[in-house]
Amino acid sequence: TGVSTALSQTPSISSVSSEGREDLQVNQLEKQIWIKTDIQKTDVDFSEILNAIQEIAKDVNIFFDELEGVNSPSKDDDSLLHHGNLTSTSDDASRLEVVGEKVPDKIKANGLYFRDGKCRIDYILVYRKSNPQTEKREVFERNIRAEGLQMEKESSLTNSDIIFVKLHAPWEVLGKYAELMNVRMPFRRKIYYLHRRYKFMNRIEKQISRFRGWLPRKPMKLDKETLPDLEENDCYTAPFSQQRIHHFIIHNKDTFFNNATRSRIVHHILQRVKYEEGKNKIGLNRLLSNGSYEAAFPLHEGSYRSKNSIRTHGAENHRHLLYECWASWGVWYKYQPLDLVRRYFGEKIGLYFAWLGWYTGMLFPAAFIGLFVFLYGVTTLNHCQVSKEVCQATDIIMCPICDKYCPFMRLSDSCVYAKVTHLFDNGATVFFAVFMAVWATVFLEFWKRRRAVIAYDWDLIDWEEEEEEIRPQFEAKYSKKERMNPISGKPEPYQAFADKCSRLIVSASGIFFMICVVIAAVFGIVIYRVVTVSTFAAFKWALIRNNSQVATTGTAVCINFCIIMLLNVLYEKVALFLTNLEQPRTESEWENSFTLKMFLFQFVNLNSSTFYIAFFLGRFTGHPGAYLRLINRWRLEECHPSGCLIDLCMQMGIIMVLKQTWNNFMELGYPLIQNWWTRRKLRQEYGTQRKTSFPQWEKDYNLQPMNAYGLFDEYLEMILQFGFTTIFVAAFPLAPLLALLNNIIEIRLDAYKFVTQWRRPLASRAKDIGIWYGILEGIGIISVITNAFVIAVTSDFIPRLVYAYKYGPCAGQGEAGQKCMVGYVNASLSVFLVSDFENRSEPTSNGSEFSGSPLKYCRYRDYRDPPHSPMPYGYTLQFWHVLAARLAFIIVFEHLVFCIKHLISYLIPDLPKDLRDRMRREKYLIQEMMYEAELERLQKERKERKKNGKSYHNEWP
């Protein structure tokens, strides 16, 4: 009766072509049977009918006929949906309702399963009923079911216009596509072997292990006894094959493929399902871009919090386990459970956290050496001859550092700045600069080795990316021109070489223009510094008036930081526009192009003012009486009497601290505020108890989606920090320490954000960190050059060295101790006749407050002849000696460090020897195991044939 009723309610299909009539009839019959069994709850067993229908449906091809879409009932019909109730389109759920089997309430309530409590939700699609793209969704969902995926729909509890489509992949579908995608699965536990060791070495290892027994356990290691879920199955893996399924370790088919792999397989299917007639009308990404679906994401595995302790009751799910042993602030000092991160979020995100953890670990020696250099400066401060002479130079009067309003000042007034400068610019600075250049190379080379180990452990050695799909924008633009793809052999859109070159030229012009905008912003900061130093010198408050140059530098750095943050917003839009203008062919090409532009923009934006202070500030100012001016108006800024290094230190310290604080707030604070606001609105509308009863898909939908650019922002922040840590590290040895402290917080902030504040991202695979590695290598090369110039030009290391060996008390003796620096300050200052001042530069004060009579002479930092010499204010011989020594130092330093870098790169192999041996051993063992398993199967079949008495041909074995 139910079947006849269903057939009678089937819409007329006379208008459909005869070729597709049987297909539509089967679809309508199957749908009406599901609806009838759900509404009437009859005692008729429809399992045989449904099985027969499914057998027919397997061989049915979906045809994209316009009439079929018109006559078939809409899957978005309101009659199929009830507020908060499930509408199952899966055969399992239907049979469950027919036989009256009860589903446990706990399984249904957690929102991770279908209505039957057995089919786990592998993927979620979200759309709005008011969206006009109904026909495309109908065809898309019909083809999803034809691929074997099971589907349920449910309306949102908070908004009846929002519909959630829940997808489940049965075992047959998972096995089929796992084989197509070459998903590697475990088939035999690993057998480790030990190298043959000498007896002496064994005795030493026993003694060491006995000594370690008295020591406490390593506090940074995760406790695997109280957290047994941290133990990963250490097995050999091989590409999944349905023909050799007996080789694999399958305890339970429902858990053989983990949730991340299941979601990846479902996403792979959705990317290859058609939604409209046409060769390019395919894939979920296009439906998301045209608004047919609002969101698509895999589910989190339940709540990350639990009332019970994880040590006594265990973890509720992998998300809870990750929160307790990774994202919680209480485990900030422990190693990261990278295998768990990879299992839950996929290899791409796992590699990011592996790289971040490796970078943070490598910062420990750099931070320690940098702190040692700083403490060395502290301990030798009282023995520094230069700072002593500056502090005792009460009779040396310095010329004003700005026009008119700046007064004459004693050199001893800059005693504090001289001492602070010595903290960063001392005898250990050159050693630290060489160390950091070598450190950058060692960091990258050992990361190669670490990445190789991770790639081996995560089965990424032989993995290769699939042929990428062409971007829809590229297809739409160049659909008229086609050529054969050399890999797939299929026609695809083609971009002419002339068109590509013209677009690249326009893009390069845009990049050049934006760099000019950065230079203009730096020029504005320079003008601000020039104008403000005179203003602060005439300020009413004595504190600011006496420290006008420091106040100018501090305010200029803060204003520069604000400009940097504002320009970053503009640069992102410009980089997006230029990248889309280039029309990259694939998503990876688009991502690499966008990454390169954004890094270039932000790197120039962040470091341009720092380059100005390091290499241009005080270098081209002229001398008293003949100052160089901007637009013949503003006098260029001079360095402090103690040097320009203190300005560079302030610039780096303030920018680094402010930027890292702002980034951490935007990464975590902004999602926290957004999620809090969403929870607040739900609490006000539905109450606290109703809020806690929301299913998992509703909770995840209310979380923030992952950044549109994936891990771009996370990588960019760390790469810029790496540049700050290495490029000007000679001027600021504490930069690695600040970076280390920030990264310890950054790891837990990112972990907390991924686990609690963001929707679960799709688990995707990657072999390395991509284009970022090349950028890191480029920064390493730039750092060698900049540090050479910082030591030679910005610091006073070279002038002191020249004075000690050529002009000091120890000249010609081959010594350069503190006793050889006596008289250095006086030798580094030139004399100026006050009456030679220009009218617009002449100070308002005549300096009578120092000696009771107007000053005749003042001093300034330079190597020039006195005013009464045959060539007044000409360069002295010492100036040329210092200049030659600076150039020689730059050449020697760069060549020496580059030689060391290349030597280290050559000596450190990319693959560790033990890993290479393990890979060879594994390859051999896998071949042996596969052979033994196949031999065992053939012998078993032979025995069964003998038992059954069947005749068979003689075969081996």
Side-chain angles (χ1 to χ4, degrees):
T1 307
V3 175
S4 61
T5 306
L7 290 173
S8 65
Q9 293 180 359
T10 303
S12 173
I13 56 173
S14 58
S15 60
V16 182
S17 62
S18 59
E19 194 175 30
R21 190 173 299 165
E22 184 181 355
D23 308 334
L24 181 59
Q25 212 167 9
V26 169
N27 289 334
Q28 300 302 327
L29 178 61
E30 185 179 2
K31 177 186 171 184
Q32 293 296 337
I33 290 176
W34 283 335
I35 296 174
K36 293 299 293 181
T37 53
D38 191 33
I39 296 175
Q40 296 180 355
K41 308 292 185 190
T42 59
D43 294 329
V44 180
D45 188 2
F46 291 100
S47 59
E48 296 181 0
I49 301 173
L50 290 173
N51 289 334
I53 290 173
Q54 287 179 342
E55 290 296 326
I56 297 173
K58 287 181 180 179
D59 300 326
V60 172
N61 294 322
I62 300 298
F63 292 89
F64 293 91
D65 194 281
E66 294 181 359
L67 294 175
E68 180 183 351
V70 172
N71 292 318
S72 61
S74 173
K75 302 294 184 299
D76 297 338
D77 191 359
D78 292 347
S79 62
L80 300 183
L81 291 168
H82 301 281
H83 188 71
N85 293 332
L86 299 172
T87 302
S88 174
T89 59
S90 66
D91 54 334
D92 292 337
S94 302
R95 284 198 292 269
L96 196 66
E97 292 295 338
V98 171
V99 298
E101 184 179 337
K102 234 179 178 182
V103 179
D105 294 334
K106 185 177 180 181
I107 296 179
K108 290 173 63 177
N110 62 11
L112 298 176
Y113 291 86
F114 275 18
R115 193 176 186 182
D116 59 2
K118 297 178 181 177
C119 298
R120 188 177 185 92
I121 299 173
D122 297 321
Y123 212 81
I124 291 289
L125 303 177
V126 186
Y127 68 88
R128 292 182 181 270
K129 288 192 292 184
S130 57
N131 189 284
Q133 307 283 351
T134 304
E135 186 176 349
K136 293 179 181 179
R137 283 197 304 271
E138 289 178 8
V139 176
F140 186 71
E141 292 170 7
R142 193 158 58 244
N143 288 336
I144 288 175
R145 290 194 297 274
E147 290 290 340
L149 296 181
Q150 298 173 5
M151 184 188 303
E152 279 186 355
K153 292 185 180 181
E154 181 172 357
S155 60
S156 171
L157 295 175
T158 59
N159 187 350
S160 59
D161 188 45
I162 297 176
I163 306 299
F164 295 97
V165 181
K166 298 172 285 183
L167 302 177
H168 167 76
W171 169 259
E172 294 78 13
V173 176
L174 292 173
K176 172 186 173 183
Y177 281 94
E179 186 171 358
L180 291 175
M181 296 168 63
N182 289 322
V183 177
R184 299 182 70 90
M185 301 303 296
F187 72 93
R188 188 71 62 89
R189 291 194 64 84
K190 287 187 178 179
I191 303 171
Y192 293 99
Y193 70 98
L194 297 176
H195 294 283
R196 298 179 65 180
R197 297 178 182 270
Y198 296 104
K199 293 182 179 180
F200 177 72
M201 294 300 297
N202 287 333
R203 292 175 184 173
I204 292 179
E205 287 185 359
K206 287 181 180 179
Q207 296 296 329
I208 292 175
S209 60
R210 187 178 302 174
F211 174 72
R212 284 177 178 173
W214 294 93
L215 298 176
R217 294 181 179 179
K218 292 183 178 180
M220 292 184 292
K221 283 194 173 182
L222 294 163
D223 191 355
K224 295 185 178 181
E225 294 179 359
T226 54
L227 300 176
D229 290 330
L230 290 175
E231 293 286 354
E232 288 286 312
N233 291 329
D234 207 3
C235 300
Y236 292 115
T237 61
F240 183 77
S241 172
Q242 289 181 316
Q243 294 181 349
R244 297 183 176 181
I245 195 171
H246 53 277
H247 293 170
F248 296 91
I249 304 173
I250 304 178
H251 301 298
N252 185 352
K253 288 186 176 182
D254 294 335
T255 58
F256 178 63
F257 296 103
N258 60 38
N259 295 330
T261 304
R262 296 173 68 99
S263 300
R264 188 156 55 89
I265 292 174
V266 172
H267 182 78
H268 177 87
I269 297 172
L270 297 179
Q271 291 296 91
R272 285 153 180 80
V273 172
K274 281 196 171 186
Y275 61 85
E276 205 173 48
E277 183 64 46
K279 62 180 180 180
N280 297 327
K281 307 297 184 179
I282 184 173
L284 175 63
N285 284 349
R286 289 179 173 85
L287 290 175
L288 289 171
S289 61
N290 64 28
S292 298
Y293 287 101
E294 189 173 299
F297 53 89
L299 284 180
H300 278 296
E301 298 180 7
S303 175
Y304 63 89
R305 294 185 183 275
S306 176
K307 297 179 181 178
N308 302 319
S309 172
I310 191 173
R311 299 186 179 276
T312 56
H313 293 75
E316 298 284 341
N317 50 64
H318 286 153
R319 188 186 185 193
H320 179 215
L321 181 62
L322 278 173
Y323 177 77
E324 292 291 339
C325 68
W326 183 48
S328 176
W329 293 105
V331 294
W332 65 268
Y333 59 92
K334 291 186 177 293
Y335 293 128
Q336 298 183 86
L338 293 177
D339 288 332
L340 268 181
V341 177
R342 172 243 184 171
R343 185 170 66 183
Y344 193 83
F345 292 110
E347 286 80 3
K348 193 170 186 178
I349 294 176
L351 269 173
Y352 162 71
F353 281 103
W355 176 84
L356 181 56
W358 182 257
Y359 171 45
T360 304
M362 289 293 290
L363 278 174
F364 273 96
F368 176 78
I369 299 297
L371 183 61
F372 169 79
V373 171
F374 179 78
L375 294 178
Y376 173 80
V378 173
T379 55
T380 59
L381 184 61
N382 295 327
H383 306 286
C384 178
Q385 181 64 31
V386 176
S387 59
K388 278 183 182 180
E389 290 186 0
V390 171
C391 294
Q392 296 170 2
T394 56
D395 56 339
I396 297 179
I397 308 301
M398 302 297 295
C399 298
I401 59 175
C402 67
D403 292 338
K404 291 187 178 181
Y405 299 106
C406 291
F408 294 98
M409 59 181 294
R410 287 190 174 94
L411 181 59
S412 58
D413 293 342
S414 60
C415 175
V416 176
Y417 303 115
K419 291 182 177 180
V420 173
T421 301
H422 177 74
L423 299 180
F424 301 101
D425 184 14
N426 51 63
T429 304
V430 177
F431 160 75
F432 185 58
V434 175
F435 170 81
M436 286 303 296
V438 174
W439 173 87
T441 303
V442 171
F443 161 66
L444 292 176
E445 291 300 320
F446 275 94
W447 164 247
K448 285 184 189 176
R449 296 165 61 87
R450 174 63 177 157
R451 188 206 63 82
V453 174
I454 292 175
Y456 169 78
D457 291 336
W458 292 357
D459 296 320
L460 298 173
I461 295 291
D462 299 325
W463 178 78
E464 293 183 1
E465 293 187 19
E466 300 176 358
E467 176 68 15
E468 282 194 88
E469 296 181 2
I470 299 175
R471 297 177 65 242
Q473 295 85 344
F474 186 88
E475 287 179 339
K477 181 71 176 177
Y478 301 102
S479 58
K480 295 181 180 179
K481 294 183 179 181
E482 290 186 346
R483 72 173 181 179
M484 299 296 293
N485 186 307
I487 299 175
S488 63
K490 298 179 181 178
E492 66 178 18
Y494 167 67
Q495 182 182 16
F497 179 77
D499 181 75
K500 187 174 184 179
C501 287
S502 62
R503 290 178 178 275
L504 287 175
I505 291 172
V506 173
S507 178
S509 303
I511 294 172
F512 178 75
F513 173 76
M514 293 309 298
I515 292 176
C516 292
V517 171
V518 176
I519 296 173
V522 174
F523 185 76
I525 294 295
V526 171
I527 294 178
Y528 168 83
R529 294 172 68 106
V530 169
V531 173
T532 310
V533 70
S534 300
T535 305
F536 283 153
F539 211 75
K540 295 180 180 179
W541 296 348
L543 179 64
I544 295 179
R545 186 171 62 249
N546 297 333
N547 299 277
S548 59
Q549 199 160 15
V550 177
T552 300
T553 303
T555 54
V557 171
C558 294
I559 293 174
N560 185 33
F561 173 75
C562 296
I563 293 175
I564 287 172
M565 301 312 296
L566 290 175
L567 287 179
N568 281 346
V569 178
L570 174 63
Y571 290 156
E572 182 176 348
K573 295 181 179 179
V574 172
L576 193 63
F577 172 76
L578 293 177
T579 306
N580 290 331
L581 181 67
E582 291 177 6
Q583 290 291 348
R585 177 176 169 273
T586 62
E587 287 296 334
S588 63
E589 291 178 5
W590 188 96
E591 183 179 341
N592 289 340
S593 177
F594 179 76
T595 298
L596 198 58
K597 290 181 181 62
M598 278 297 293
F599 169 76
L600 185 61
F601 286 157
Q602 295 217 16
F603 179 81
V604 173
N605 187 29
L606 187 65
N607 294 286
S608 55
S609 57
T610 311
F611 270 89
Y612 164 74
I613 293 174
F615 305 127
F616 297 99
L617 179 63
R619 301 283 175 260
F620 309 100
T621 58
H623 62 86
Y627 287 117
L628 297 178
R629 298 178 181 272
L630 284 175
I631 323 177
N632 199 27
R633 180 177 180 181
W634 293 300
R635 170 182 161 186
L636 289 174
E637 188 181 6
E638 290 187 45
C639 290
H640 197 272
S642 298
C644 292
L645 200 67
I646 187 68
D647 295 312
L648 184 58
C649 292
M650 288 182 62
Q651 173 81 11
M652 291 189 63
I654 294 175
I655 291 290
M656 197 169 185
V657 171
L658 287 179
K659 185 164 180 60
Q660 290 180 347
T661 304
W662 175 259
N663 287 339
N664 290 337
F665 169 75
M666 290 302 295
E667 282 188 5
L668 184 63
Y670 185 67
L672 272 174
I673 293 173
Q674 285 186 314
N675 291 334
W676 170 81
W677 183 255
T678 303
R679 290 194 302 267
R680 182 176 178 272
K681 289 196 298 184
L682 294 176
R683 206 180 301 116
Q684 289 177 348
E685 294 180 10
Y686 301 99
T688 307
Q689 294 182 353
R690 185 70 182 274
K691 161 76 171 57
T692 56
S693 63
F694 283 168
Q696 189 63 42
W697 57 82
E698 192 95 33
K699 295 177 183 177
D700 286 5
Y701 177 71
N702 290 326
L703 294 176
Q704 296 301 309
M706 190 177 175
N707 292 335
Y709 310 127
L711 293 168
F712 170 79
D713 289 337
E714 280 70 24
Y715 272 118
L716 180 63
E717 178 188 355
M718 290 295 103
I719 299 299
L720 290 175
Q721 184 207 80
F722 177 80
F724 237 69
T725 305
T726 55
I727 291 179
F728 294 104
V729 73
F732 192 58
L734 293 180
L737 180 62
L738 293 179
L740 174 62
L741 297 176
N742 175 79
N743 286 8
I744 292 174
I745 300 173
E746 180 75 21
I747 290 175
R748 304 305 160 181
L749 277 180
D750 285 347
Y752 184 82
K753 178 177 61 181
F754 271 93
V755 174
T756 67
Q757 301 302 311
W758 279 359
R759 295 174 191 163
R760 185 176 183 178
L762 180 71
S764 54
R765 308 198 86 190
K767 293 183 70 171
D768 49 33
I769 61 176
I771 194 175
W772 297 109
Y773 185 85
I775 293 175
L776 286 170
E777 286 187 324
I779 291 175
I781 295 172
I782 293 174
S783 67
V784 176
I785 301 172
T786 53
N787 281 305
F789 274 90
V790 166
I791 296 171
V793 177
T794 310
S795 74
D796 288 337
F797 175 76
I798 298 299
R800 292 175 187 175
L801 210 61
V802 171
Y803 178 81
Y805 284 102
K806 184 68 177 176
Y807 297 97
C810 304
Q813 300 179 14
E815 297 181 12
Q818 289 297 326
K819 63 179 182 179
C820 301
M821 298 303 297
V822 175
Y824 167 75
V825 172
N826 187 56
S828 63
L829 298 176
S830 299
V831 179
F832 178 73
L833 186 63
V834 174
S835 59
D836 291 342
F837 267 123
E838 300 172 302
N839 290 333
R840 54 181 172 178
S841 299
E842 189 173 356
T844 55
S845 171
N846 58 7
S848 57
E849 63 271 16
F850 296 106
S851 60
S853 60
L855 284 176
K856 291 184 179 181
Y857 300 98
C858 64
R859 309 292 293 271
Y860 61 98
R861 281 175 57 93
D862 210 343
Y863 296 101
R864 292 181 180 270
D865 291 322
H868 303 296
S869 63
M871 295 183 63
Y873 308 117
Y875 287 118
T876 62
L877 184 62
Q878 188 175 355
F879 168 82
W880 299 109
H881 284 166
V882 170
L883 180 62
R886 281 174 168 165
L887 295 177
F889 175 83
I890 291 172
I891 295 172
V892 172
F893 182 88
E894 288 181 357
H895 282 72
L896 175 65
V897 174
F898 278 130
C899 287
I900 295 174
K901 285 168 68 71
H902 288 301
L903 181 63
I904 291 174
S905 300
Y906 175 76
L907 293 178
I908 300 177
D910 293 345
L911 281 179
K913 186 179 182 303
D914 59 337
L915 177 61
R916 190 181 293 109
D917 293 341
R918 284 165 61 191
M919 291 171 63
R920 292 173 179 171
R921 174 75 173 172
E922 178 178 338
K923 187 176 181 180
Y924 169 77
L925 289 176
I926 287 175
Q927 292 176 350
E928 291 292 318
M929 291 174 186
M930 297 293 279
Y931 170 76
E932 291 174 3
E934 193 68 21
L935 185 63
E936 183 180 349
R937 184 182 66 84
L938 292 174
Q939 289 176 344
K940 187 176 180 182
E941 289 180 359
R942 185 177 184 181
K943 290 180 182 178
E944 290 179 355
R945 288 178 180 178
K946 283 185 178 180
K947 287 182 181 179
N948 297 332
K950 293 183 179 180
S951 59
Y952 57 90
H953 299 287
N954 291 329
E955 60 182 37
W956 185 87

